């Protein structure tokens, strides 16, 4: 079952008439992603399966330590937008909630598989797996 959070993201994208407008919106979301500290751009935080240079770092929530927040960055505009969506979607959740979050429903709802190359498609799923592995390491 698709979460209300994922439905809301999909509905935002459905306000745009065509893929070019959705693409531009995704790029803008990436541009609004807070800068990731250079010290966090380590080999351990890198998503090695991505063609793009992607980094993700988990941070325990000081007020509620089982919950995590993520920082991320990417060197390509479109994938940086995907990173920003996923950082937003997974931050504030526990490892179990992260595991239960259906990123596939998000990607299908946004029709990403129709608009990304097969290699980028593999990379997007690798980003999700990296977030999940990082969350499990904190659990």
């Amino acid at each position: 079952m698709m979460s209300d959070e994922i439905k809301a993201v999909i509905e935002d994208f459905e306000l745009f008439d065509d893929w070019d407008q959705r693409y531009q919106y995704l790029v803008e979301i990436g541009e609004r992603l807070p800068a990731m500290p250079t010290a966090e751009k380590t080999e351990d935080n890198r998503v090695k399966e991505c063609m793009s240079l992607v980094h993700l770092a988990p941070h325990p929530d000081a007020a509620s330590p089982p919950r995590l927040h993520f920082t991320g960055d990417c060197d390509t505009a479109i994938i940086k937008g995907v990173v920003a969506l996923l950082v937003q979607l997974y931050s504030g959740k526990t490892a179990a909630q992260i595991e239960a979050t259906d990123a596939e429903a998000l990607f299908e709802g946004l029709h990403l598989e129709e608009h990304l190359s097969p290699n980028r498609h593999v990379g997007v799923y690798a980003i999700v797996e990296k977030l999940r592995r990082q969350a499990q390491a904190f659990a």
Side-chain angles (χ1 to χ4, degrees):
M1 188 173 131
M2 189 184 304
S3 72
D4 290 342
E5 196 175 14
I6 290 173
K7 285 179 189 168
V9 172
I10 292 168
E11 286 170 5
D12 285 348
F13 276 82
E14 287 174 347
L15 296 173
F16 300 100
D17 295 330
D18 61 28
W19 173 249
D20 288 338
Q21 291 175 331
R22 291 175 185 192
Y23 181 94
Q24 188 55 44
Y25 181 55
L26 195 54
V27 169
E28 288 171 17
I29 290 170
E31 289 170 351
R32 293 194 302 260
L33 183 67
M36 183 179 199
T38 305
E40 293 182 355
K41 294 181 183 180
T42 64
E43 198 58 26
D44 283 344
N45 289 337
R46 189 171 149 244
V47 182
K48 295 169 183 70
E49 301 87 348
C50 270
M51 289 173 40
S52 303
L53 184 59
V54 177
H55 290 93
L56 298 162
H59 306 276
D61 184 319
S64 179
R67 296 184 184 281
L68 296 171
H69 292 278
F70 292 90
T71 54
D73 196 16
C74 180
D75 64 348
T76 57
I78 188 72
I79 301 303
K80 187 171 184 172
V82 173
V83 168
L85 282 178
L86 292 171
V87 162
Q88 177 184 342
L89 185 64
Y90 286 107
S91 286
K93 290 185 166 74
T94 65
Q97 290 168 323
I98 288 167
E99 188 62 39
T101 300
D102 188 0
E104 179 124 4
L106 174 67
F107 299 151
E108 286 175 7
L110 297 178
H111 306 286
L112 281 185
E113 69 280 354
E114 298 166 29
H115 299 285
L116 295 180
S117 70
N119 284 343
R120 289 221 187 272
H121 190 75
V122 167
V124 165
Y125 281 96
I127 294 168
V128 172
E129 286 308 308
K130 181 73 169 183
L131 288 161
R132 287 179 173 163
R133 283 193 312 272
Q134 288 176 325
Q136 285 304 318
F138 273 95

